[in-house]
Amino acid sequence: MNYANDPVCIKDLEHIAKGVMPSGAWGYYDSGANDEQTKYDNMSAFDSYRLHPRMLRDVSTISTETTVLGKKVRTPLGVAPCAMHKLAHSDGEAATSRAASKNGSIMILSTYSTTSMEKVIAQGDGSTQYWMQLYVYQDRKVSEELVRRAEKAGFSALVLTVDAPMLGRRLVDARNKFNPPSHLRLENFMDPEVVNNADGYVSDLARSASETFGATFGANGDQSLSWENGISWLKSITGLPIIVKGIMTAEDTQLAIAHGCAGVIVSNHGGRQLDGALATIDALPQVVEAAGDKIEVYMDGGVRRGSDIFKALALGARAVFVARPVLWGLAYKGDKGAYLALDLLQKELELAMMLSGTRNIAEIDESYVYQPANRWVRYAPGARHAAANQKKLLAKL
Ligand SMILES: Cc1cc2nc3c(=O)[nH]c(=O)nc-3n(C[C@H](O)[C@H](O)[C@H](O)COP(=O)(O)O)c2cc1C
Ligand SMILES: CCCCC(=O)C(=O)O
């Protein structure tokens, strides 16, 4: 493929970022777990959904405005939480924050930010929603302090990531023996009152994505986390809405409702955790069905085109988040590049809406997509189809 120097789509940005980033940092951003089946499936699964456009609808005005958690946003496109934006550009999360704000996108900030949450939110224009992503620590005081700071700084929701009791094994990082450059700091841990004896060095709390990286991550994170001691605990210490990130099933969606969460993000962590997990666009419909109108459903994973966003919205997502595309933009040109990534996707979404005959977000529903029939059928004892299969098998005997 002929990639333009002036990127015209997310693939161009990916290509440029790969060329300018040090190979270790590139590997860390790019990699999925093990054989990367889920990482690739997140993207290719979108291709198996096709569109059903309607014509002659007066599409002279297109609006992507919608509401998320009851607040107006210009677009359903947001920035997913990613560790260490300074691996892409020295302006790091501050640059991403300016880009998100310019695009009217919600930004979710990672616990493992290389810029403090206060600095990140200060780059916003006041109308941008910032959500704080949390990993819960064995030492709950550490997590509680992060929550207090997020409340004070003006974050409007907490996003609890639940798919990473331990980091997935990313072979590229293991081969590269990847270690983040030693000058980077995890600035959310810089306050000595926040973390005992943590000086904010990346190597301290989140060592690297190498073999020891997972161990260090695991050693600090609370692997005993459960709905009770995780969600109920968090609810008991804060009034902020709680969104659970990493939900892939109807069952867990029902539990999220029962535990008073405000939303769930259908996510498999960009294929970086459990390799072999379903693509998120394939998992979305069951979560949407279980959610009904009780809880908002968002998704991330593999979104590289505006038409991917359109498909996710059609299948019931209220907002769609992107991670790697923004990091690639950041690597290309700091805040301008991160904004370019969002703007490219935004304009592609608007064009997909126009060409499908949908003028606003509310009009986008499942009638605009062809879903692949029986793409994945879960094999589980007790499931209806399993019983039917068994009957068929028995009949053959
Ligand atoms: C480099 C990188 C770092 C990430 N760090 C975090 C993190 O700190 N917290 C988190 O909840 N998810 C993290 N994620 C997962 C993303 O939030 C998101 O679920 C996923 O990457 C979305 O897929 P996409 O990259 O295909 O858009 C990270 C992903 C990448 C690529
Ligand atoms: C130590 C940071 C972990 C970030 C993360 O979630 C990821 O790399 O996927």
Side-chain angles (χ1 to χ4, degrees), residues 94-115:
T96 314
S97 173
R98 288 193 289 276
S101 184
K102 187 168 173 197
N103 198 55
S105 288
I106 294 171
M107 174 171 176
I108 312 179
L109 183 69
S110 168
T111 288
Y112 290 110
S113 171
T114 38
T115 311

PDB file of all heavy atoms in Angstrom, residues 94-115:
ATOM      1  N   ALA A  94      -1.190  15.441  28.310  1.00  0.00           N
ATOM      2  CA  ALA A  94      -1.665  16.834  28.214  1.00  0.00           C
ATOM      3  C   ALA A  94      -2.047  17.124  26.760  1.00  0.00           C
ATOM      4  O   ALA A  94      -3.070  17.776  26.488  1.00  0.00           O
ATOM      5  CB  ALA A  94      -0.577  17.796  28.685  1.00  0.00           C
ATOM      6  N   ALA A  95      -1.244  16.609  25.840  1.00  0.00           N
ATOM      7  CA  ALA A  95      -1.532  16.808  24.413  1.00  0.00           C
ATOM      8  C   ALA A  95      -2.809  16.061  24.025  1.00  0.00           C
ATOM      9  O   ALA A  95      -3.669  16.599  23.317  1.00  0.00           O
ATOM     10  CB  ALA A  95      -0.350  16.316  23.578  1.00  0.00           C
ATOM     11  N   THR A  96      -2.943  14.840  24.503  1.00  0.00           N
ATOM     12  CA  THR A  96      -4.152  14.058  24.199  1.00  0.00           C
ATOM     13  C   THR A  96      -5.388  14.772  24.736  1.00  0.00           C
ATOM     14  O   THR A  96      -6.439  14.796  24.095  1.00  0.00           O
ATOM     15  CB  THR A  96      -4.067  12.656  24.854  1.00  0.00           C
ATOM     16  OG1 THR A  96      -2.770  12.117  24.584  1.00  0.00           O
ATOM     17  CG2 THR A  96      -5.133  11.736  24.326  1.00  0.00           C
ATOM     18  N   SER A  97      -5.231  15.352  25.925  1.00  0.00           N
ATOM     19  CA  SER A  97      -6.344  16.057  26.547  1.00  0.00           C
ATOM     20  C   SER A  97      -6.786  17.251  25.692  1.00  0.00           C
ATOM     21  O   SER A  97      -7.988  17.465  25.477  1.00  0.00           O
ATOM     22  CB  SER A  97      -5.904  16.518  27.944  1.00  0.00           C
ATOM     23  OG  SER A  97      -6.877  17.326  28.520  1.00  0.00           O
ATOM     24  N   ARG A  98      -5.838  17.992  25.176  1.00  0.00           N
ATOM     25  CA  ARG A  98      -6.192  19.132  24.303  1.00  0.00           C
ATOM     26  C   ARG A  98      -6.914  18.640  23.057  1.00  0.00           C
ATOM     27  O   ARG A  98      -7.887  19.232  22.601  1.00  0.00           O
ATOM     28  CB  ARG A  98      -4.926  19.903  23.902  1.00  0.00           C
ATOM     29  CG  ARG A  98      -4.315  20.716  25.033  1.00  0.00           C
ATOM     30  CD  ARG A  98      -3.265  21.696  24.526  1.00  0.00           C
ATOM     31  NE  ARG A  98      -2.031  21.062  24.077  1.00  0.00           N
ATOM     32  CZ  ARG A  98      -1.021  20.703  24.875  1.00  0.00           C
ATOM     33  NH1 ARG A  98      -1.109  20.903  26.178  1.00  0.00           N
ATOM     34  NH2 ARG A  98       0.072  20.139  24.382  1.00  0.00           N
ATOM     35  N   ALA A  99      -6.422  17.531  22.522  1.00  0.00           N
ATOM     36  CA  ALA A  99      -7.027  16.984  21.308  1.00  0.00           C
ATOM     37  C   ALA A  99      -8.458  16.514  21.579  1.00  0.00           C
ATOM     38  O   ALA A  99      -9.377  16.795  20.806  1.00  0.00           O
ATOM     39  CB  ALA A  99      -6.184  15.823  20.791  1.00  0.00           C
ATOM     40  N   ALA A 100      -8.645  15.804  22.692  1.00  0.00           N
ATOM     41  CA  ALA A 100      -9.979  15.293  23.033  1.00  0.00           C
ATOM     42  C   ALA A 100     -10.938  16.462  23.223  1.00  0.00           C
ATOM     43  O   ALA A 100     -12.066  16.465  22.721  1.00  0.00           O
ATOM     44  CB  ALA A 100      -9.902  14.442  24.295  1.00  0.00           C
ATOM     45  N   SER A 101     -10.452  17.474  23.929  1.00  0.00           N
ATOM     46  CA  SER A 101     -11.294  18.626  24.220  1.00  0.00           C
ATOM     47  C   SER A 101     -11.685  19.342  22.927  1.00  0.00           C
ATOM     48  O   SER A 101     -12.852  19.708  22.728  1.00  0.00           O
ATOM     49  CB  SER A 101     -10.523  19.563  25.157  1.00  0.00           C
ATOM     50  OG  SER A 101     -11.324  20.627  25.526  1.00  0.00           O
ATOM     51  N   LYS A 102     -10.729  19.494  22.029  1.00  0.00           N
ATOM     52  CA  LYS A 102     -11.009  20.163  20.750  1.00  0.00           C
ATOM     53  C   LYS A 102     -12.062  19.399  19.954  1.00  0.00           C
ATOM     54  O   LYS A 102     -12.885  19.980  19.265  1.00  0.00           O
ATOM     55  CB  LYS A 102      -9.705  20.280  19.946  1.00  0.00           C
ATOM     56  CG  LYS A 102      -9.839  21.103  18.696  1.00  0.00           C
ATOM     57  CD  LYS A 102      -8.504  21.431  18.081  1.00  0.00           C
ATOM     58  CE  LYS A 102      -8.723  22.120  16.733  1.00  0.00           C
ATOM     59  NZ  LYS A 102      -7.531  22.122  15.901  1.00  0.00           N
ATOM     60  N   ASN A 103     -12.027  18.080  20.059  1.00  0.00           N
ATOM     61  CA  ASN A 103     -12.993  17.288  19.297  1.00  0.00           C
ATOM     62  C   ASN A 103     -14.316  17.089  20.057  1.00  0.00           C
ATOM     63  O   ASN A 103     -15.248  16.503  19.527  1.00  0.00           O
ATOM     64  CB  ASN A 103     -12.404  15.906  18.959  1.00  0.00           C
ATOM     65  CG  ASN A 103     -13.153  15.240  17.837  1.00  0.00           C
ATOM     66  OD1 ASN A 103     -13.301  15.822  16.758  1.00  0.00           O
ATOM     67  ND2 ASN A 103     -13.678  14.040  18.071  1.00  0.00           N
ATOM     68  N   GLY A 104     -14.380  17.551  21.300  1.00  0.00           N
ATOM     69  CA  GLY A 104     -15.594  17.339  22.090  1.00  0.00           C
ATOM     70  C   GLY A 104     -15.739  15.892  22.520  1.00  0.00           C
ATOM     71  O   GLY A 104     -16.839  15.388  22.736  1.00  0.00           O
ATOM     72  N   SER A 105     -14.601  15.197  22.641  1.00  0.00           N
ATOM     73  CA  SER A 105     -14.615  13.779  22.997  1.00  0.00           C
ATOM     74  C   SER A 105     -14.395  13.583  24.495  1.00  0.00           C
ATOM     75  O   SER A 105     -13.590  14.296  25.099  1.00  0.00           O
ATOM     76  CB  SER A 105     -13.479  13.046  22.261  1.00  0.00           C
ATOM     77  OG  SER A 105     -13.764  12.923  20.894  1.00  0.00           O
ATOM     78  N   ILE A 106     -15.058  12.606  25.066  1.00  0.00           N
ATOM     79  CA  ILE A 106     -14.772  12.216  26.447  1.00  0.00           C
ATOM     80  C   ILE A 106     -13.372  11.610  26.482  1.00  0.00           C
ATOM     81  O   ILE A 106     -13.012  10.851  25.587  1.00  0.00           O
ATOM     82  CB  ILE A 106     -15.787  11.157  26.935  1.00  0.00           C
ATOM     83  CG1 ILE A 106     -17.187  11.773  27.003  1.00  0.00           C
ATOM     84  CG2 ILE A 106     -15.381  10.575  28.292  1.00  0.00           C
ATOM     85  CD1 ILE A 106     -18.284  10.758  27.254  1.00  0.00           C
ATOM     86  N   MET A 107     -12.585  11.944  27.513  1.00  0.00           N
ATOM     87  CA  MET A 107     -11.277  11.306  27.654  1.00  0.00           C
ATOM     88  C   MET A 107     -11.250  10.501  28.947  1.00  0.00           C
ATOM     89  O   MET A 107     -11.575  11.021  30.018  1.00  0.00           O
ATOM     90  CB  MET A 107     -10.164  12.356  27.693  1.00  0.00           C
ATOM     91  CG  MET A 107      -8.797  11.739  27.977  1.00  0.00           C
ATOM     92  SD  MET A 107      -7.451  12.927  27.763  1.00  0.00           S
ATOM     93  CE  MET A 107      -6.047  11.942  28.272  1.00  0.00           C
ATOM     94  N   ILE A 108     -10.871   9.235  28.829  1.00  0.00           N
ATOM     95  CA  ILE A 108     -10.670   8.414  30.032  1.00  0.00           C
ATOM     96  C   ILE A 108      -9.164   8.383  30.292  1.00  0.00           C
ATOM     97  O   ILE A 108      -8.391   7.990  29.414  1.00  0.00           O
ATOM     98  CB  ILE A 108     -11.205   6.982  29.852  1.00  0.00           C
ATOM     99  CG1 ILE A 108     -12.624   6.982  29.257  1.00  0.00           C
ATOM    100  CG2 ILE A 108     -11.169   6.241  31.185  1.00  0.00           C
ATOM    101  CD1 ILE A 108     -13.210   5.591  29.033  1.00  0.00           C
ATOM    102  N   LEU A 109      -8.774   8.807  31.480  1.00  0.00           N
ATOM    103  CA  LEU A 109      -7.340   8.868  31.808  1.00  0.00           C
ATOM    104  C   LEU A 109      -6.920   7.619  32.574  1.00  0.00           C
ATOM    105  O   LEU A 109      -7.592   7.207  33.521  1.00  0.00           O
ATOM    106  CB  LEU A 109      -7.056  10.113  32.655  1.00  0.00           C
ATOM    107  CG  LEU A 109      -5.568  10.301  32.991  1.00  0.00           C
ATOM    108  CD1 LEU A 109      -4.771  10.653  31.741  1.00  0.00           C
ATOM    109  CD2 LEU A 109      -5.382  11.374  34.054  1.00  0.00           C
ATOM    110  N   SER A 110      -5.804   7.032  32.153  1.00  0.00           N
ATOM    111  CA  SER A 110      -5.296   5.826  32.820  1.00  0.00           C
ATOM    112  C   SER A 110      -4.694   6.153  34.182  1.00  0.00           C
ATOM    113  O   SER A 110      -4.056   7.196  34.363  1.00  0.00           O
ATOM    114  CB  SER A 110      -4.224   5.171  31.938  1.00  0.00           C
ATOM    115  OG  SER A 110      -3.534   4.179  32.664  1.00  0.00           O
ATOM    116  N   THR A 111      -4.886   5.240  35.120  1.00  0.00           N
ATOM    117  CA  THR A 111      -4.150   5.314  36.388  1.00  0.00           C
ATOM    118  C   THR A 111      -2.664   5.488  36.096  1.00  0.00           C
ATOM    119  O   THR A 111      -1.971   6.257  36.759  1.00  0.00           O
ATOM    120  CB  THR A 111      -4.340   3.993  37.172  1.00  0.00           C
ATOM    121  OG1 THR A 111      -5.675   3.933  37.679  1.00  0.00           O
ATOM    122  CG2 THR A 111      -3.374   3.880  38.335  1.00  0.00           C
ATOM    123  N   TYR A 112      -2.181   4.762  35.059  1.00  0.00           N
ATOM    124  CA  TYR A 112      -0.758   4.768  34.715  1.00  0.00           C
ATOM    125  C   TYR A 112      -0.381   5.882  33.748  1.00  0.00           C
ATOM    126  O   TYR A 112       0.423   5.705  32.839  1.00  0.00           O
ATOM    127  CB  TYR A 112      -0.357   3.405  34.155  1.00  0.00           C
ATOM    128  CG  TYR A 112      -0.365   2.334  35.214  1.00  0.00           C
ATOM    129  CD1 TYR A 112      -1.316   1.335  35.212  1.00  0.00           C
ATOM    130  CD2 TYR A 112       0.578   2.359  36.227  1.00  0.00           C
ATOM    131  CE1 TYR A 112      -1.338   0.373  36.204  1.00  0.00           C
ATOM    132  CE2 TYR A 112       0.564   1.397  37.221  1.00  0.00           C
ATOM    133  CZ  TYR A 112      -0.389   0.417  37.210  1.00  0.00           C
ATOM    134  OH  TYR A 112      -0.396  -0.526  38.188  1.00  0.00           O
ATOM    135  N   SER A 113      -0.980   7.041  33.975  1.00  0.00           N
ATOM    136  CA  SER A 113      -0.678   8.213  33.155  1.00  0.00           C
ATOM    137  C   SER A 113       0.718   8.726  33.481  1.00  0.00           C
ATOM    138  O   SER A 113       1.160   8.672  34.636  1.00  0.00           O
ATOM    139  CB  SER A 113      -1.722   9.279  33.473  1.00  0.00           C
ATOM    140  OG  SER A 113      -1.385  10.499  32.872  1.00  0.00           O
ATOM    141  N   THR A 114       1.392   9.250  32.454  1.00  0.00           N
ATOM    142  CA  THR A 114       2.689   9.876  32.705  1.00  0.00           C
ATOM    143  C   THR A 114       2.532  11.387  32.922  1.00  0.00           C
ATOM    144  O   THR A 114       3.520  12.117  32.928  1.00  0.00           O
ATOM    145  CB  THR A 114       3.668   9.571  31.541  1.00  0.00           C
ATOM    146  OG1 THR A 114       2.957   9.593  30.294  1.00  0.00           O
ATOM    147  CG2 THR A 114       4.299   8.201  31.707  1.00  0.00           C
ATOM    148  N   THR A 115       1.284  11.832  33.065  1.00  0.00           N
ATOM    149  CA  THR A 115       0.989  13.233  33.391  1.00  0.00           C
ATOM    150  C   THR A 115      -0.060  13.197  34.506  1.00  0.00           C
ATOM    151  O   THR A 115      -0.985  12.384  34.434  1.00  0.00           O
ATOM    152  CB  THR A 115       0.392  13.969  32.164  1.00  0.00           C
ATOM    153  OG1 THR A 115       1.223  13.713  31.030  1.00  0.00           O
ATOM    154  CG2 THR A 115       0.293  15.465  32.406  1.00  0.00           C
TER     155      THR A 115
END
